[in-house]
């Protein structure tokens, strides 16, 4: 619910840049990590979550809905 | 009136014991400021340049708070030669994805990811460590928990006492840092007062080895001589047993004054209660009658009992407030000495935390079963684990409860 609220507030450019699994609500957390929200480190945020490289993130790749995009992204490189 | 004075005397004895813990922590920390290592005989200079190659073994399961930074801190060591072995039991564990990120960030480091299911024993941490010890390439092995954050000079500090061949094991002082929820604040307050105080008291004044498995440096040969990890696979307190056997075999067990940070950020109150119930049960099974002294040592809890039993009066309230104030001041001082960086206002939670701990104290006397990392066990003498019996009314009720909970989830 919170994720939906925030994704609505993001503009198109940010949506394209940031990982869809990132939840920014008081504490930035990742919902792709499992049952429990995972709080990424500053390095992870900079290297994966906040850039187009989020498609290379092992958490993103594990997610079945995003796996196809990740594979196609890596294949194109 | 008699009740009041009985509890007042016990509370004073508890405060005296607490003063001993504070003194022990100060003595341990001061040993560091003078450039000596705790456990080093007085007058003997520490050996700073002893840097044997070390295999760091990291048993991992699940995503701990601050996990990436914790693991990364081991990749940033100012140390000539070492390897890191991340040991995981399950391919589906989300921690696999964190360690892959770590390895990608530090390609020049010797990092191995070992995913091997081992069901040799009942202790899941030891099961995770058995393949890691086997895979370790170096003679010196450092077992370190996943929720530990260290500075760049950590390996040098803990390796230094190993120059002495008589030293068999080096453990470290622990401090809790970065609490953001009530459960994690309670945990950090308890680690920085009772746990740090007790470990230092036993080491400094009573000369009893008290090893906490968050950081244990040993030689592989010494570990094998006391039976290896296989010998402790069914013990809940495998760290204590290793330390005790090392001590009994004639080797010295040293408490390094290097304080490692145990990062507890987002713990719930339930996790805090579960952990200290489990630790209480193992101390009851290991210490026996000595466990009773822990209640007397909880001066805050004792000082609140007259309020409960005799009702509110100026005397009972004064005792509770006075003892709580002393304990808060002492814990604040310890926090400063251990450099925990906790907000001073959080020390106002100390009396509440001590009352919770006082209530938890009674649980081990009534129950000897524990749930750890999803498994249920019965604890025997010296924390020897046995599978939880699969029959009887208790099991039936547990199964019904679990089934209902699963259905709700």
């Amino acid at each position: 619910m919170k994720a939906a609220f925030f994704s609505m507030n993001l503009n198109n450019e940010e949506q394209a840049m940031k990982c869809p699994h990132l939840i920014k609500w008081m504490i930035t957390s990742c919902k792709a990590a499992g049952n429990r929200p995972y709080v990424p480190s500053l390095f992870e945020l900079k290297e994966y979550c906040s850039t187009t490289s989020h498609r290379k993130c092992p958490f993103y790749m594990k997610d079945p809905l995003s796996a196809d995009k990740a594979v196609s992204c890596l294949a194109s490189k | 009136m008699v009740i009041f004075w009985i509890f007042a005397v016990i509370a004073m004895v508890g405060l005296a014991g607490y003063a001993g813990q504070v003194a022990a922590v100060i003595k341990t920390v001061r040993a560091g400021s003078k450039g000596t290592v705790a456990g080093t005989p007085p007058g003997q200079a520490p050996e700073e340049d002893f840097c044997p190659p070390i295999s760091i073994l990291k048993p991992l399961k699940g995503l701990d708070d601050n996990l990436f930074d914790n693991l990364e801190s081991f990749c940033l060591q100012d140390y000539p030669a070492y390897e890191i072995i991340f040991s995981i039991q399950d391919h589906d564990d989300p921690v696999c994805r964190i360690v892959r990120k770590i390895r990608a960030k530090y390609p020049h480091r010797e990092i191995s990811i070992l995913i091997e299911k081992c069901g040799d024993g009942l202790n899941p941490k030891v099961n995770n460590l058995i393949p890691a010890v086997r895979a370790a390439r170096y003679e010196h092995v450092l077992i370190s928990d996943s929720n530990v954050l260290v500075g760049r000079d950590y390996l040098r500090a803990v390796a230094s006492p190993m120059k002495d061949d008589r030293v068999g094991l080096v453990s470290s002082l622990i401090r809790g840092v970065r609490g953001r929820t009530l459960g994690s604040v309670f945990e950090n307050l308890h680690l920085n007062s009772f746990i740090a105080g007790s470990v230092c008291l036993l080491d400094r004044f009573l000369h009893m080895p008290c090893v906490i498995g968050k950081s244990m440096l040993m030689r592989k040969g010494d570990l094998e001589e006391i039976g290896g990890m296989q010998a402790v696979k069914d013990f809940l307190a495998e760290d204590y047993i290793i330390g005790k056997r090392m001590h009994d075999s004639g080797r010295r067990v040293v408490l390094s004054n290097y304080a490692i940070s145990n990062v507890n950020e987002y713990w719930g109150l339930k996790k805090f209660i579960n952990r200290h119930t489990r630790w209480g049960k193992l101390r009851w099974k290991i210490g026996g009658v000595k466990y009773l002294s822990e209640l007397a040592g909880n001066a805050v809890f004792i000082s609140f009992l007259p309020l409960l039993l005799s009702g509110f009066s100026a005397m009972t309230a004064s005792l509770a407030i006075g003892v709580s104030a002393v304990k808060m001041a002492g814990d604040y001082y310890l926090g400063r000495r251990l450099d925990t960086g906790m907000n001073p206002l959080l020390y106002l939670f100390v009396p509440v935390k001590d009352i919770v701990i006082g209530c938890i104290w009674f649980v081990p006397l009534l129950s000897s079963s524990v749930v750890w990392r999803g498994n249920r066990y019965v604890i025997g003498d010296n924390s020897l684990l046995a599978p939880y019996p699969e029959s009887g009314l208790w099991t039936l009720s547990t199964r019904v409860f679990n089934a209902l909970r699963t259905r709700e989830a």
Side-chain angles (χ1 to χ4, degrees):
Chain A
M1 187 66 186
K2 283 174 194 169
F5 173 75
F6 273 91
S7 62
M8 281 194 304
N9 283 300
L10 290 171
N11 61 37
N12 289 339
E13 190 184 343
E14 278 178 316
Q15 270 188 324
M17 287 290 284
K18 286 180 181 170
C19 177
H21 297 301
L22 194 69
I23 308 172
K24 280 195 169 182
W25 177 255
M26 291 174 75
I27 300 155
T28 308
S29 63
C30 167
K31 63 183 162 75
N35 298 331
R36 190 182 161 206
Y38 170 70
V39 181
S41 68
L42 290 175
F43 169 80
E44 288 170 292
L45 282 171
K46 198 176 152 193
E47 191 71 13
Y48 299 101
C49 317
S50 303
T51 68
T52 47
S53 297
H54 67 253
R55 294 189 184 93
K56 290 189 290 183
C57 174
F59 285 116
Y60 183 88
M61 291 170 76
K62 180 71 183 174
D63 181 56
L65 294 173
S66 53
D68 294 341
K69 291 179 199 168
V71 169
S72 62
C73 167
L74 290 174
S76 65
K77 288 180 181 177
Chain B
M1 197 64 175
V2 177
I3 290 174
F4 170 79
W5 284 112
I6 289 172
F7 284 112
V9 169
I10 298 172
M12 291 307 129
V13 172
L15 278 184
Y18 176 66
Q21 290 183 339
V22 174
V25 173
I26 292 169
K27 200 175 170 192
T28 306
V29 175
R30 270 190 189 159
S33 64
K34 286 176 189 168
T36 59
V37 173
T40 305
Q44 186 179 323
E47 297 292 343
E48 296 290 348
D49 55 349
F50 181 67
C51 300
I54 292 177
S55 295
I56 301 174
L57 314 183
K58 282 272 179 194
L60 304 174
K61 185 175 168 69
L63 300 173
D64 287 311
D65 297 338
N66 201 46
L67 184 63
F68 187 93
D69 291 341
N70 293 348
L71 299 181
E72 186 183 31
S73 69
F74 285 84
C75 301
L76 299 170
Q77 290 298 304
D78 174 24
Y79 199 79
Y82 67 98
E83 66 164 349
I84 305 173
I85 300 175
F86 295 123
S87 182
I88 305 163
Q89 289 274 291
D90 191 351
H91 279 91
D92 288 334
D93 196 319
V95 76
C96 295
R97 299 188 271 285
I98 300 291
V99 294
R100 262 181 243 147
K101 286 182 185 177
I102 295 275
R103 198 164 62 171
K105 190 177 179 187
Y106 296 97
H108 60 284
R109 282 275 174 232
E110 282 185 68
I111 296 174
S112 312
I113 301 173
L114 188 64
I115 304 176
E116 187 178 327
K117 185 81 185 166
C118 172
D120 286 6
L122 294 172
N123 183 325
K125 183 181 164 185
V126 176
N127 280 345
N128 212 345
L129 280 168
I130 288 170
V133 172
R134 206 184 299 133
R137 291 199 295 131
Y138 301 127
E139 171 61 10
H140 288 79
V141 289
L142 173 74
I143 297 170
S144 166
D145 279 4
S146 55
N147 54 10
V148 166
L149 180 75
V150 293
R152 284 173 185 263
D153 51 346
Y154 163 68
L155 277 186
R156 280 184 190 273
V158 292
S160 171
M162 293 299 278
K163 174 140 196 192
D164 186 346
D165 290 338
R166 293 167 299 170
V167 173
L169 191 153
V170 183
S171 65
S172 293
L173 195 57
I174 296 162
R175 62 180 171 206
V177 297
R178 295 192 195 177
R180 291 190 190 218
T181 56
L182 190 63
S184 51
V185 167
F186 278 13
E187 175 67 15
N188 292 341
L189 287 172
H190 200 56
L191 282 178
N192 299 335
S193 60
F194 176 75
I195 303 293
S198 304
V199 169
C200 292
L201 185 79
L202 289 170
D203 181 75
R204 284 276 156 181
F205 296 140
L206 304 177
H207 305 291
M208 289 164 66
C210 183
V211 175
I212 295 186
K214 301 225 168 278
S215 167
M216 296 194 292
L217 177 64
M218 296 169 277
R219 288 181 201 87
K220 235 175 155 179
D222 291 345
L223 181 62
E224 277 158 19
E225 268 185 45
I226 59 165
M229 296 309 291
Q230 288 284 348
V232 293
K233 63 186 167 63
D234 292 329
F235 288 93
L236 180 62
E238 83 291 339
D239 42 5
Y240 169 79
I241 301 292
I242 289 173
K244 188 171 181 296
R245 288 186 180 172
M246 209 57 100
H247 181 73
D248 293 345
S249 69
R251 294 174 186 85
R252 284 178 56 203
V253 176
V254 171
L255 174 68
S256 166
N257 52 29
Y258 190 96
I260 55 171
S261 300
N262 184 357
V263 183
N264 304 301
E265 274 186 301
Y266 302 106
W267 279 40
L269 204 55
K270 191 179 167 190
K271 191 173 176 185
F272 168 78
I273 291 170
N274 282 346
R275 179 190 243 193
H276 290 288
T277 307
R278 194 175 73 232
W279 282 14
K281 283 173 183 175
L282 69 88
R283 287 201 300 272
W284 167 233
K285 290 295 178 183
I286 289 169
V289 185
K290 281 179 261 178
Y291 178 69
L292 303 177
S293 67
E294 283 187 21
L295 186 65
N298 190 340
V300 173
F301 181 75
I302 296 292
S303 71
F304 272 85
L305 288 179
L307 264 177
L308 192 73
L309 300 172
S310 310
F312 183 86
S313 71
M315 282 178 78
T316 53
S318 306
L319 178 70
I321 293 169
V323 171
S324 299
V326 171
K327 185 72 179 8
M328 281 190 284
D331 280 8
Y332 173 69
Y333 179 71
L334 278 182
R336 290 286 299 268
R337 293 308 296 252
L338 289 171
D339 198 17
T340 57
M342 275 183 88
N343 183 336
L345 289 175
L346 293 177
Y347 290 93
L348 293 171
F349 286 112
V350 166
V352 186
K353 182 269 294 178
D354 280 350
I355 289 169
V356 172
I357 287 291
C359 297
I360 289 173
W361 182 90
F362 293 95
V363 179
L365 309 181
L366 307 169
S367 158
S368 51
S369 68
V370 288
V371 178
W372 187 27
R373 293 188 178 184
N375 303 308
R376 197 172 178 88
Y377 310 105
V378 177
I379 315 177
D381 288 343
N382 274 330
S383 82
L384 184 65
L385 296 168
Y388 193 73
E390 280 295 323
S391 59
L393 196 62
W394 272 107
T395 312
L396 183 67
S397 63
T398 309
R399 280 184 179 176
V400 170
F401 178 71
N402 284 343
L404 288 172
R405 203 169 54 175
T406 310
R407 179 172 280 190
E408 270 184 29

